[in-house]
Amino acid sequence: SCVTGVQTCALPILKMKVLLISACFIAAVAATAEDSYSRILFAKFQAEHSKEYKSKAEHSYRLSVFAENVKMINEHNKAGHSYQKGINQFTDLTDAEFKAQYLGGYKRLPTPAAPSTESKRAIKDLPASVDWREKGAITDVKNQGQCGSCWAFATTEVIESYAAIASGDLPVLSSQQVTSCTPNPLSCGGTGGCMGSIPQLGYTYIQLFGHSTEEDYPYVSGQSMATEDCLYDVDNTSPAIGITGYDTMSNDQAATMDHLANVGPLAVAVDAGSWSSYRGGVFTGCSFDQNIGLNHAVQLVGYGTDATEGDYWLVRNSWGSSWGEGGYIKLQRQAEAQCGVNSTPMDGTACVGGPGTDEQYVCGQCGDRKSVV
C-alpha cells in the first residue's frame, strides 16, 4: 500500500513539472517568435530606407532601438489617439539621436513680430478649407537629409509658391544655394548652413542675388552632412527668380487663416521634437505645459477640418515623402489658439549677444503660430 501511495502522490508532482515546462516552453517560443518578427521587420526597414551599419555591434544596437520604438508605436496606436505613429526612416534612432541629427536647424529672431498690415477677415467669412497644393503652388516634398537646413528649405519653398501664384508657373528652386551661400555674420541663431540660420537671412540673400533652379544648383548637403562651399557665380549667372522683400506676421490665428486663404502659404517655426514617428491624423502631441523649444522650420500650406478629429493646420515638412502623410503633418487648430513658453531660446531662437535670450511666448500646437512670409 505504501508503494501504491507513493505512486499516487507522485503523479500530481509530475503533472506540475510537465505544466511548468510547457509554460516555459510556450513563453520561450513566444519570445523567439517576437524576436524573429522584429528581425524580419528590421530587415524590411533596412531595405526600404537603404540603411547600412558598419559593424555587427552597431547592427545589433540599431535592431534593439528599432524594436523598442516599434513597441512604443504599437502602444500609442492601441491607445486611441487622434493621430497615428508608424515606422519610417527615423525608427532606428533614439529620441536624443533624432533631435540631435535632424532638429535645431531653425533659429528665429527673438524680436517681436510686427503687426500685420493686411486687412483681416473674420474666420466665419473665410473658406472652410484651404490647400495650396490644389492650386498648383506647392512643389513636391523634399528631403533635407542629415543637415540642419530646414530654414533654407522653408525659404525656398515659400519663394517657389509665390512665384507660382504670381506667374502661373511653378519653379523648383535651389535649397543648396540658400544653404551654402546665405551669410550669417552675427551668428544669429547658429553659424549658418547645416548648423542653423533664419529664413529672414535667406530671403535677404535671394533679394540681393536671385535664386537658381534645383537643376542648375542641386542639393547635396543632405548626403554630405556639410554646408558646402557657395558655388553661385554672381557675375555669370542669370537667376531664375528674384524677390523684392518679405514680411512677418504676429501670433494672430484669424490673420494667419486670412493670409492662407487670400494671399498664400507661410513659413512657420515649430517644436518638432515629438514628430519622429508621426504617420497620420491630427497631431496633438505637444504639451503647452512644457517647454516649447522652436527647433524646426516648415511650410504652412493650408487648413481644414477632419470629420472625426476636428480642425487642423496643413503643414509640409522637409523629411521626404515617406514620412507622415506623404511628407505632410496635420497640426491641431484650436478655436482659440493656446499658448506656451519657449524657455530655451538660446537653443534655437536667440541671436548671440542679442535680446530675447530668457524666454519667448509662442502659440499654437507645437508653437506653429510664429509665421514668416
Side-chain angles (χ1 to χ4, degrees), residues 142-159:
K142 304 176 184 182
N143 194 339
Q144 69 186 71
Q146 293 190 48
C147 168
S149 54
C150 60
W151 64 275
F153 276 78
T155 299
T156 301
E157 291 160 4
V158 168
I159 295 173

Side-chain angles (χ1 to χ4, degrees), residues 23-299:
C24 292
F25 177 75
I26 292 170
V29 169
T32 302
E34 183 177 352
D35 183 61
S36 297
Y37 176 72
S38 293
R39 290 181 181 277
I40 292 171
L41 205 60
F42 187 59
K44 183 173 181 289
F45 161 81
Q46 284 184 271
E48 287 180 351
H49 299 286
S50 302
K51 295 279 186 172
E52 295 182 0
Y53 306 111
K54 296 178 181 179
S55 65
K56 288 184 178 180
E58 184 183 4
H59 181 278
S60 178
Y61 175 69
R62 291 300 162 197
L63 172 59
S64 66
V65 172
F66 176 86
E68 185 62 28
N69 283 337
V70 169
K71 179 182 177 182
M72 289 189 290
I73 287 169
N74 291 335
E75 289 174 351
H76 170 91
N77 290 343
K78 289 177 182 177
H81 293 280
S82 64
Y83 66 100
Q84 299 77 48
K85 293 185 176 183
I87 295 171
N88 58 32
Q89 68 265 42
F90 307 125
T91 311
D92 64 342
L93 301 177
T94 65
D95 185 60
E97 288 172 333
F98 165 73
K99 291 177 179 177
Q101 293 179 30
Y102 291 93
L103 298 179
Y106 176 80
K107 320 295 183 181
R108 187 183 181 279
L109 285 174
T111 52
S116 175
T117 57
E118 302 176 41
S119 60
K120 184 174 70 176
R121 296 168 178 82
I123 291 178
K124 65 181 179 62
D125 297 326
L126 297 173
S129 64
V130 172
D131 185 344
W132 280 97
R133 293 176 297 181
E134 298 172 353
K135 303 177 183 181
I138 305 296
T139 54
D140 292 340
V141 170
K142 304 176 184 182
N143 194 339
Q144 69 186 71
Q146 293 190 48
C147 168
S149 54
C150 60
W151 64 275
F153 276 78
T155 299
T156 301
E157 291 160 4
V158 168
I159 295 173
E160 289 171 339
S161 293
Y162 283 93
I165 293 169
S167 68
D169 294 323
L170 178 61
V172 181
L173 300 175
S174 174
S175 299
Q176 188 65 57
Q177 180 191 357
V178 180
T179 301
S180 299
C181 301
T182 303
N184 190 0
L186 300 179
S187 296
C188 195
T191 55
C194 289
M195 301 307 293
S197 187
I198 56 176
Q200 291 96 323
L201 291 180
Y203 295 137
T204 300
Y205 168 80
I206 295 300
Q207 184 178 353
L208 292 172
F209 299 105
H211 212 151
S212 291
T213 64
E214 172 67 18
E215 182 179 4
D216 289 339
Y217 200 157
Y219 185 68
V220 297
S221 287
Q223 288 72 47
S224 70
M225 296 181 284
T227 299
E228 303 292 338
D229 293 333
C230 178
L231 303 178
Y232 185 76
D233 187 342
V234 177
D235 296 325
N236 299 305
T237 302
S238 297
I241 294 293
I243 64 173
T244 58
Y246 65 92
D247 196 6
T248 59
M249 292 185 67
S250 61
N251 277 330
D252 188 314
Q253 182 156 298
T256 300
M257 292 177 68
D258 184 17
H259 189 105
L260 284 170
N262 297 293
V263 182
L266 296 161
V268 299
V270 294
D271 178 355
S274 53
W275 290 14
S276 62
S277 298
Y278 172 80
R279 183 175 64 190
V282 178
F283 187 85
T284 58
C286 290
S287 171
F288 292 95
D289 296 328
Q290 298 177 0
N291 177 43
I292 304 176
L294 303 182
N295 52 31
H296 194 48
V298 290
Q299 187 183 29

Side-chain angles (χ1 to χ4, degrees), residues 295-371:
N295 52 31
H296 194 48
V298 290
Q299 187 183 29
L300 181 59
V301 304
Y303 62 83
T305 301
D306 182 271
T308 303
E309 306 301 342
D311 297 338
Y312 62 82
W313 301 104
L314 181 61
V315 171
R316 172 196 187 180
N317 204 352
S318 54
W319 294 342
S321 59
S322 64
W323 176 87
E325 295 188 353
Y328 287 77
I329 184 172
K330 294 173 181 173
L331 296 180
Q332 182 189 45
R333 174 170 56 93
Q334 300 120 354
E336 290 291 335
Q338 289 181 258
C339 298
V341 173
N342 174 11
S343 60
T344 56
M346 285 305 295
D347 290 343
T349 59
C351 301
V352 175
T357 58
D358 295 329
E359 64 180 27
Q360 183 181 30
Y361 190 63
V362 295
C363 301
Q365 181 65 216
C366 302
D368 64 2
R369 304 301 337 112
K370 293 290 186 181
S371 305

